[in-house]
């Protein structure tokens, strides 16, 4: 199968755009957030690099035996596998090259020499942030490495669940060495027990590593159809960016029209600093800038990868892509202190994880692949089944019975004694096929993407609409 | 071939030793350099981990097609290749786990609360060093990653020479962001032209990346016999450690007996601080501590790896080991500011590089493998030859003629017209075989190790005996 063609006009059109954004911070008048321009410019190049490198190195991947057969196609030509490695490499390399733009004294000095614009301008990034940034890069790189080792050595899935914990060690170590805050704000209804703040101490570190593990593995178990892994990452990254943008200083006042929902107290945005939801707090602006620095290039490499991974896929992500994107979200959630908001963007993943629990924890047999079943004649996907070789236990029967009643799975029972013989594999993809009927692979990934977008809309509603019920302005 | 057996007594004997060194900094009286104890304790565990993990994962490597046939053996059983990855992973993981011990405020506070010992004690490591340490880890990790990719994708050697430059990017970026010093001290005889200090500016960055490239590739081209790569790294690491120890505060006064050589001015060591060659400079002590933190675990993983890589090898290093060890030396040379001293420890590698130049730069044909030729009957190694398929150019004839006269290679000439038909491959290993006669593989690696030790002895003589001629006390 030949790689998807790339219009050369893209290259010629985007190179000057990217270059302009990189050069812009050095031109008068200095923009208020110069490094953000650079980050955007770098992201344009990240997109181009991913678009062009992935097809170029495809044959080398196949030669090195990094290839897979698409289970849901009639065409059995091997497709390069683990090409998420290219996206990860481009992503991390650009984040490293970005260091002097975000942290260099000399660039800050250059900028400070000029007249400062009004309002909040984050020209000089605080220096202690450099070690935080570097530890994040280390974690991303370890995640990439482990993802690739997983692809090469084909680690069994039960063994690989704790792998992201290893990747989160640099985050934890530097957080500890920098005497990171382990306090969390207590929701209002619980304050009469715990007070305003509670110090989680070592539990905070457990929380951080669990967040990495969840973010990584939740992508890994929602996979198997063309574009599934990368589209989830893309939509979550875009949601994070949208959330970050609310906290940046803007040249215009804006407010979220929450009075329509009946709230008003903590949504007075803008003001003298025009600083969006940051209420003039420089620290909040810095945190969300930090998040943007990681998310903008991530969106770029995801788009680039998706172009080749879209149905019918010319490149497979491998575990590498799941590991690195999951880790990137964990990094920004932890380092920029919005892990609760972040988890809200994972609603489809959380649903899929809860749905999968009976199979993950051994109540229901778990075959190696739980991807939907492909019908060669109609080109449609149907829910795949797991077979009970021996009669299920009472607990399993009860759990599956309940799930079947809730419409989450479909059971085949023995015609006479009613024992469960088969059940749909418990994934969100099979559930979509069960509820919406058989569809082709491209449509299924579009449904998945719609559910992700719907999840993000719900997340924003909860975060800015309902969070006022349980948190006051004292947010972290 | 079965892995070399490991005595369990080693495990039981070394675990308490390592544990004691890790716990020691928390016991009264606090030692003057507490983190150094931890580093030593971690190194003991690094040794054990490498010793036990390498044979354990061997079958997985063979299954993942990471295997090689030993060219210089009659036994053609495949041996696991790229197992330097295990050494690199253990090394980097322990360096990450070491972060809180070296940089944590809370441990320093604990130590400061106790009575301070006299003299220089580096309990609290300067905080800005954390980003330097993290950038070093990033470079090591990228080197590991690229080494492993090189093993998997089998990159052509001409393409891989610049790869270490990519790995040195984090070093360069953070050096720049931290406004690193780009001044170098000018040797006395040249000061009338340049003054005492000369600012290399951007050239300093070129120098740093070239140092990484050289350190990495010089191991890569001096390879091919069991134990060659790892023994070079081991002896250089031990030499660096010996050099570092000269700068630490010791409970005893000492001086290098250079008066025997006729010098005295700048070798007054010890004094009130008992600080060795550091002349009471806290900064020099810190730099050499930094170097020790990287070198102690490196020695440990090298010993562990060498146990399995020793003749007849049960594990091959792959390019991964060369990349990670070379990068480790570049990191300490650059970050602890003793790159010139470091290069002195590379005398055999520099000799091998110069010897290889005619083949590297295409004057003389370069076959894929330049390892010595193995004689199955006698079990001895002989110099391998490169064949001239077409008559060599005049320049090549002149260069090879000169080298032959100097005894560096052996030529086979056409009996009538004298054109060169064959030449010994230009490596230090073939040169040893040429000068010392055929020998078996184990003896050859021992000769190589002796030459490395002799090189280090020469290096120490030059550094502490002769450097006084061209540098005064104003060292960097």
């Amino acid at each position: 199968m030949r790689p998807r063609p790339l219009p050369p006009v893209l290259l010629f059109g985007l190179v000057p755009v990217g270059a302009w954004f990189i050069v812009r911070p050095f031109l008068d008048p200095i923009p208020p957030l110069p490094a953000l321009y650079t980050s955007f410019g770098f992201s344009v190049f990240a997109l181009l690099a991913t678009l062009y490198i992935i097809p170029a190195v495809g044959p080398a991947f196949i030669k090195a035996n990094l290839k897979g057969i698409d289970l849901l196609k009639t065409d059995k030509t091997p497709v390069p596998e683990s090409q998420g490695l290219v996206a990860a490499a481009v992503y991390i390399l650009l984040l490293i090259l970005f260091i002097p733009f975000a942290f260099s004294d000399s660039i800050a000095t250059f900028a400070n020499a000029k007249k400062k614009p009004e309002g909040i301008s984050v020209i000089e990034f605080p220096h202690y942030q450099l070690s935080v940034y570097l530890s994040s890069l280390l974690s991303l790189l370890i995640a990439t490495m482990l993802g690739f080792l997983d692809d090469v050595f084909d680690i069994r899935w039960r063994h690989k669940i704790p792998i992201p914990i290893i990747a989160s060690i640099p985050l934890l170590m530097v957080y500890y060495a920098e005497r990171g805050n382990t306090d969390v704000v207590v929701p209002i209804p619980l304050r009469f027990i715990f007070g305003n703040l509670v110090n989680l101490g070592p539990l905070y570190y457990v929380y951080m590593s669990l967040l990495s593990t969840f973010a990584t593995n939740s992508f890994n178990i929602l996979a198997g159809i063309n574009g599934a892994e990368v589209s989830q990452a893309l939509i979550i990254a875009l949601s994070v960016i949208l959330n970050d943008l609310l906290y940046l200083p803007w040249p215009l006042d804006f407010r979220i029209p929450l009075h329509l929902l009946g709230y008003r107290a903590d949504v007075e945005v803008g003001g003298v600093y025009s600083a969006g939801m940051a209420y003039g707090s420089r620290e909040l602006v810095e945190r969300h800038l930090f998040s943007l620095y990681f998310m903008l290039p991530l969106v770029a490499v995801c788009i680039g990868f998706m172009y080749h991974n879209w149905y019918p896929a010319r490149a497979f992500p491998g575990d590498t892509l799941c590991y690195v994107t999951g880790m990137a979200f964990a990094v920004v959630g932890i380092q920029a202190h919005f892990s609760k908001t972040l988890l809200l963007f994972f609603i489809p993943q959380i649903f899929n994880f809860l749905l999968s629990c009976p199979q993950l924890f051994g109540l229901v047999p778990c075959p190696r692949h739980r991807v939907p079943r492909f019908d060669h004649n109609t080109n449609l996907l149907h829910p795949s089944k797991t077979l009970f070789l021996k009669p299920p236990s009472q607990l399993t029967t009860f759990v599956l019975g309940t799930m079947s009643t809730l419409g989450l799975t479909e059971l085949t029972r023995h015609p006479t004694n009613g024992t469960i013989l088969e059940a749909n594999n418990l994934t969100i993809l099979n559930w979509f096929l069960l509820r919406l009927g058989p569809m082709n692979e491209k449509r299924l990934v579009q449904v998945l993407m719609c559910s992700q977008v719907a999840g993000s809309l719900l997340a924003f509603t909860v975060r800015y609409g309902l969070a006022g019920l349980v948190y006051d302005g004292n947010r972290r």
Side-chain angles (χ1 to χ4, degrees), chain A:
Chain A
M1 204 184 308
R2 290 170 56 191
R4 198 154 283 157
L6 286 164
V9 69
L10 195 74
L11 182 67
F12 292 114
L14 283 180
V15 165
V17 175
W20 187 84
F21 274 95
I22 293 176
V23 170
R24 178 64 190 85
F26 300 97
L27 306 176
D28 258 341
I30 311 292
L33 305 168
L36 193 57
Y37 282 76
T38 321
S39 178
F40 190 84
F42 271 41
S43 303
V44 172
F45 285 106
L47 169 65
L48 287 172
T50 320
L51 277 175
Y52 283 87
I53 296 175
I54 285 176
V57 297
F61 274 67
I62 288 187
K63 201 176 147 211
N65 208 28
L66 292 163
K67 60 189 177 191
I69 307 287
D70 201 325
L71 296 172
L72 308 181
K73 302 283 185 303
T74 37
D75 184 357
K76 294 299 174 199
T77 325
V79 176
E81 174 68 276
S82 304
Q83 287 215 296
L85 181 68
V86 176
V90 168
Y91 178 54
I92 293 173
L93 195 62
L94 284 184
L95 284 176
I96 291 174
L97 289 173
F98 180 63
I99 292 173
F101 293 90
F103 299 100
S104 159
D105 279 341
S106 46
I107 290 175
T109 314
F110 169 81
N112 282 330
K114 312 282 171 181
K115 197 163 159 276
K116 278 207 176 187
E118 278 181 51
I120 289 187
S121 64
V122 183
I123 284 173
E124 200 178 339
F125 215 66
H127 232 66
Y128 70 85
Q129 287 267 36
L130 179 54
S131 40
V132 171
Y133 187 90
L134 291 171
S135 70
S136 309
L137 286 182
L138 266 176
S139 283
L140 286 174
L141 199 50
I142 296 181
T144 308
M145 184 92 200
L146 293 173
F148 188 65
L149 290 182
D150 186 356
D151 285 332
V152 170
F153 291 108
D154 205 11
I155 303 170
R156 289 236 303 277
W157 73 265
R158 271 174 212 275
H159 295 161
K160 69 195 190 193
I161 289 181
I163 283 181
I165 294 178
I166 300 176
S168 68
I169 290 176
L171 287 185
L172 308 185
M173 293 295 128
V174 170
Y175 202 83
Y176 182 77
E178 294 277 0
R179 246 196 283 203
N181 201 329
T182 54
D183 294 336
V184 289
V185 181
V186 178
I188 294 171
L190 297 176
R191 284 196 189 159
F192 73 99
I193 309 176
F194 299 109
N196 275 1
L197 284 178
V198 63
N199 187 356
L200 287 184
L203 281 183
Y204 196 83
Y205 293 88
V206 175
Y207 171 68
M208 288 200 285
S209 47
L210 287 184
L211 187 69
S212 327
T213 313
F214 174 74
T216 304
N217 284 308
S218 64
F219 287 145
N220 233 343
I221 62 173
L222 208 177
I225 62 170
N226 293 172
E229 300 89 341
V230 70
S231 62
Q232 302 167 60
L234 177 64
I235 293 167
I236 294 178
L238 288 172
S239 310
V240 172
I241 287 177
L242 186 59
N243 184 54
D244 289 332
L245 290 179
L246 294 178
Y247 292 83
L248 292 196
W250 289 98
L252 54 136
D253 270 20
F254 70 94
R255 54 181 67 205
I256 300 174
L258 286 182
H259 57 277
L260 299 179
L261 286 165
Y263 302 98
R264 68 176 310 277
D266 61 338
V267 288
E268 296 285 353
V269 295
V272 281
Y273 287 107
S274 298
M277 299 289 291
Y279 309 96
S281 152
R282 196 188 151 108
E283 200 185 346
L284 271 179
V285 174
E286 281 169 4
R287 283 181 186 170
H288 287 278
L289 267 182
F290 182 93
S291 165
L292 281 171
Y293 295 162
F294 280 88
M295 287 296 120
L296 288 174
L298 187 68
V299 164
V301 297
C302 281
I303 295 175
F305 185 79
M306 203 167 168
Y307 183 80
H308 300 287
N309 186 223
W310 189 252
Y311 179 90
R314 264 77 166 175
F316 286 155
D319 291 328
T320 319
L321 191 87
C322 299
Y323 277 72
V324 78
T325 49
M327 202 66 211
F329 294 125
V331 158
V332 297
I334 292 168
Q335 306 282 34
H337 297 259
F338 59 83
S339 53
K340 289 194 296 291
T341 309
L342 180 74
L343 279 178
L344 287 176
F345 296 135
F346 277 77
I347 292 171
Q349 283 71 29
I350 293 171
F351 177 76
N352 183 58
F353 170 71
L354 294 175
L355 197 61
S356 300
C357 277
Q359 286 194 297
L360 296 183
F361 295 113
L363 274 184
V364 175
C366 186
R368 184 161 165 74
H369 291 287
R370 303 192 296 161
V371 287
R373 183 172 57 80
F374 177 60
D375 184 336
H376 289 266
N377 302 321
T378 59
N379 208 24
L380 295 181
L381 299 183
H382 298 263
S384 64
K385 311 251 176 208
T386 177
L387 209 73
F388 286 87
L389 295 176
K390 49 184 183 188
S393 70
Q394 254 183 317
L395 178 63
T396 306
T397 310
F398 172 73
V399 169
L400 283 179
T402 315
M403 290 177 92
S404 165
T405 314
L406 294 171
L408 297 171
T409 186
E410 202 179 36
L411 305 177
T412 317
R413 290 177 185 271
H414 194 280
T416 54
N417 61 11
T419 19
I420 299 171
L421 298 176
E422 277 184 338
N424 277 5
N425 276 313
L426 302 165
T427 69
I428 196 171
L429 296 176
N430 286 315
W431 182 70
F432 286 143
L433 293 170
L434 176 65
R435 303 314 319 163
L436 307 173
M439 55 183 107
N440 68 31
E441 190 175 358
K442 188 174 174 183
R443 174 59 55 88
L444 183 56
V445 79
Q446 285 167 340
V447 170
L448 177 66
M449 289 170 74
C450 288
S451 76
Q452 194 78 47
V453 171
S456 285
L457 291 178
L458 179 60
F460 276 104
T461 315
V462 171
R463 171 67 182 82
Y464 295 100
L466 304 179
L469 291 180
V470 290
Y471 287 104
D472 50 21
N474 183 11
R475 297 231 181 89
R476 313 193 63 79

